[in-house]
Amino acid sequence: SSGINAEYGVDRILQSSGHQKRIEKLTVLKEETGNKALSDSPKDRIIKRAALEFTDGMFANLGIGIPMMAANYISGITVTLQSENGILGLGPFPRAGTEDPDLINAGKQTVTVLPGSSFFSSDTSFAMIRGGHVDLTMLGGLQVSAQGDLANWMIPGKMVKGMGGAMDLVGSSGTTVVVTMEHTARGAHKILPSCTLPLTGTRVVDKIITEKCVFEVVEGVGLVLTELAETETIDSVREATAASFEVSDKLIPLRQLSV
């Protein structure tokens, strides 16, 4: 029809035929019953420790990879997941054939939403983040410094689409920032006296979870070793860590979720 809304200059609406929205990162649940049994591999060890960071009633923003995998093991508590592109109440990945190209997270993966979820603009989403209304941000890291600086958005010389929302997520004073990552990368140190890669944020990390241990970043002190995997010693962690650290007088074995 014509003359639909002369005030805004719309003259005609056309309905296309055969149009299909493109899904950039199709991500679906595997047709397995229940969660995958976790092994003692470095990655699964990190997942089992990271899953213990969730507490009942919290709002959390999770990076792709290990943080999202850890969310699969939330049980018996309510955790509301937020996505920077404007979703509060993320559910699991969709089953094959049920994916909706209009439902994606900030990493462009197909997702579902839970009852009671809401959608909003990106500026509202970042107002939540910058205002400290997200309790937990869990994300991966390329490097972390002894004082809690984080580098996780680019490696010089490689193509990067952009830093995304990480700089805002780690920059809120009201949010606990937990970095999950393997302790080294092909033998190279990732926990350093100072980062050599471009920074995402300075003095923003509260906790580092690796397959070897857990470090807490304490203001005025730096890294403090609080949990240690049974397969490691303090000396083996020192060898794998370029940054210096203190050892807590309440050091405990690396906690693991029972699955």
Side-chain angles (χ1 to χ4, degrees):
S1 61
S2 61
I4 295 171
N5 194 329
E7 181 180 354
Y8 293 103
V10 177
D11 296 316
R12 188 173 289 107
I13 295 176
L14 301 177
Q15 182 176 357
S16 63
S17 60
H19 174 71
Q20 184 175 8
K21 288 189 175 180
R22 185 171 67 92
I23 296 176
E24 188 167 338
K25 292 184 180 179
L26 177 62
T27 309
V28 297
L29 281 178
K30 294 181 179 179
E31 293 299 325
E32 298 173 349
T33 56
N35 289 322
K36 178 178 79 71
L38 294 174
S39 68
D40 197 44
S41 68
K43 181 179 179 181
D44 284 356
R45 196 182 299 175
I46 299 169
I47 291 172
K48 286 189 285 186
R49 176 58 186 84
L52 297 176
E53 291 297 304
F54 301 115
T55 59
D56 191 33
M58 73 165 23
F59 294 87
N61 184 291
L62 307 179
I64 60 175
I66 286 174
M68 287 296 293
M69 292 176 187
N72 291 328
Y73 298 91
I74 296 173
S75 178
I77 59 175
T78 300
V79 177
T80 303
L81 302 183
Q82 192 252 20
S83 185
E84 304 98 288
N85 59 324
I87 303 175
L88 192 64
L90 281 173
F93 294 127
R95 296 192 177 278
T98 66
E99 61 274 359
D100 182 342
D102 288 322
L103 279 180
I104 60 172
N105 62 20
K108 300 183 180 180
Q109 297 170 309
T110 47
V111 295
T112 63
V113 292
L114 300 176
S117 62
S118 58
F119 304 96
F120 35 84
S121 63
S122 182
D123 61 328
T124 300
S125 178
F126 278 91
M128 291 180 185
I129 293 167
R130 294 166 184 164
H133 304 292
V134 176
D135 301 303
L136 171 71
T137 287
M138 187 183 294
L139 68 175
L142 297 171
Q143 294 177 343
V144 181
S145 81
Q147 300 303 319
D149 301 337
L150 172 65
N152 82 333
W153 72 278
M154 74 166 293
I155 298 175
K158 293 194 174 183
M159 186 185 74
V160 178
K161 292 184 178 180
M163 73 287 294
M167 291 184 179
D168 293 275
L169 285 162
V170 303
S172 171
S173 61
T175 301
T176 298
V177 177
V178 176
V179 172
T180 59
M181 65 181 188
E182 292 195 16
H183 207 100
T184 59
R186 301 182 182 89
H189 291 132
K190 298 175 69 175
I191 304 174
L192 306 165
S194 59
C195 297
T196 59
L197 295 174
L199 293 181
T200 308
T202 59
R203 298 176 181 264
V204 294
V205 177
D206 296 294
K207 185 178 291 184
I208 308 168
I209 299 173
T210 79
E211 76 281 9
K212 296 179 181 294
C213 64
V214 173
F215 286 118
E216 292 188 9
V217 184
V218 179
E219 187 175 357
V221 177
L223 299 177
V224 177
L225 180 67
T226 58
E227 299 180 33
L228 182 66
E230 294 181 356
T231 56
E232 301 294 329
T233 65
I234 293 174
D235 286 341
S236 69
V237 172
R238 289 198 190 279
E239 184 177 347
T241 308
S244 61
F245 60 85
E246 302 291 329
V247 179
S248 172
D249 56 6
K250 297 180 181 179
L251 180 67
I252 62 173
L254 183 68
R255 294 186 297 142
Q256 296 280 268
L257 178 74
S258 296
V259 293

